[in-house]
Amino acid sequence: MDFSGKEYDRIRASRRKGSGRGRDGGGAADTSVIGRECAVPGCTEEGAYRAPKGRGKEGQYFWFCLDHVREYNKTYNYFDGMTDDDVLAYQRDAITGHRPTQPIGVRGRKARAARNTWSGMIDDPFGLFGQGDPHAAPQPEQETRRISAADRHAFEVMGLEPGASREAIKSRYKTLVKRHHPDANQGDRSSEDRLRSIINAYNVLRRAGYC
């Protein structure tokens, strides 16, 4: 093999792209652009280091010498000119690679369509695929409260159904107190006993949180 030909004189060794990054943070020197001058006006050094031009010019680069690429990288700011809200929006979109997304999960449109499809095809005793109108707001569960024997007796004394509302209990209490007060019954002892039992019943319901 003849190594004296002109073809071999033009062979140059170059660094692998992306390697050779210096401690200064500058880009790797590109030895394939020998003869390119630095982009800084008046600089005659070789522009072997590239630097991005900035937002809106992705894929475009300046070519600097080592000293000037260091200076450029110190002041480079991709978000220059953007408001804080624009920066936050950009960072959120960057999570998905700036690709459009669609809602998923139990509230997504596709999830609702899937529930409607499967709900009529399989036995769903636990309601995994939803029932009724998928757009209807969920109904709050009725709160059930266990009534003790003392509470039930207090309702009976006041002539109310167990679980009566707060307003009904207070209204009934005022009515019974007026009716059985000694001043309204000429000192009738039986009326006093009835009034005492009404007051005790009301206190039981109040302590239990019914009124």
Side-chain angles (χ1 to χ4, degrees):
M1 181 178 292
D2 185 8
F3 293 97
S4 61
K6 295 181 179 180
E7 290 79 6
Y8 293 99
D9 293 338
R10 291 195 292 268
I11 296 177
R12 296 288 186 274
S14 63
R15 296 181 182 178
R16 187 173 57 186
K17 187 175 181 180
S19 64
R21 185 176 297 274
R23 294 181 180 178
D24 56 353
D30 190 346
T31 58
S32 66
V33 292
I34 296 176
R36 185 196 301 267
E37 290 188 354
C38 178
V40 176
C43 180
T44 59
E45 295 292 327
E46 186 176 77
Y49 298 86
R50 72 177 187 179
K53 289 189 175 182
R55 180 165 43 86
K57 296 182 179 180
E58 285 77 5
Q60 302 180 32
Y61 302 93
F62 293 112
W63 291 90
F64 297 110
C65 65
L66 181 59
D67 290 337
H68 285 132
V69 79
R70 288 174 176 173
E71 295 179 4
Y72 182 85
N73 287 338
K74 288 179 181 179
T75 59
Y76 178 77
N77 181 9
Y78 182 84
F79 300 107
D80 187 29
M82 297 177 65
T83 65
D84 293 341
D85 292 338
D86 292 337
V87 173
L88 291 175
Y90 180 93
Q91 292 173 339
R92 285 195 299 267
D93 292 341
I95 297 175
T96 59
H98 301 282
R99 294 187 297 271
T101 59
Q102 295 181 351
I104 60 175
V106 296
R107 295 187 179 181
R109 182 177 57 186
K110 292 183 178 180
R112 290 196 298 267
R115 288 199 299 270
N116 292 341
T117 300
W118 285 102
S119 61
M121 297 175 60
I122 62 174
D123 183 18
D124 185 21
F126 297 103
L128 297 177
F129 296 99
Q131 295 179 356
D133 184 4
H135 301 284
Q139 297 296 324
E141 295 182 0
Q142 295 293 333
E143 183 178 357
T144 58
R145 179 173 181 176
R146 186 173 182 178
I147 301 176
S148 67
D151 297 342
R152 189 178 300 277
H153 176 70
F155 278 114
E156 292 176 357
V157 170
M158 298 188 68
L160 294 172
E161 292 292 330
S165 66
R166 183 188 305 267
E167 292 75 14
I169 296 174
K170 290 185 176 181
S171 177
R172 183 65 171 171
Y173 174 70
K174 291 179 180 179
T175 300
L176 293 176
V177 168
K178 290 180 181 180
R179 181 183 302 172
H180 298 283
H181 194 276
D183 294 343
N185 293 277
Q186 293 79 38
D188 186 358
R189 299 292 298 179
S190 62
S191 181
E192 292 181 6
D193 294 339
R194 173 65 175 158
L195 177 61
R196 189 177 298 107
S197 63
I198 291 171
I199 294 174
N200 291 336
Y202 180 78
N203 289 332
V204 169
L205 296 179
R206 183 173 56 82
R207 287 192 295 268
Y210 287 99
C211 56

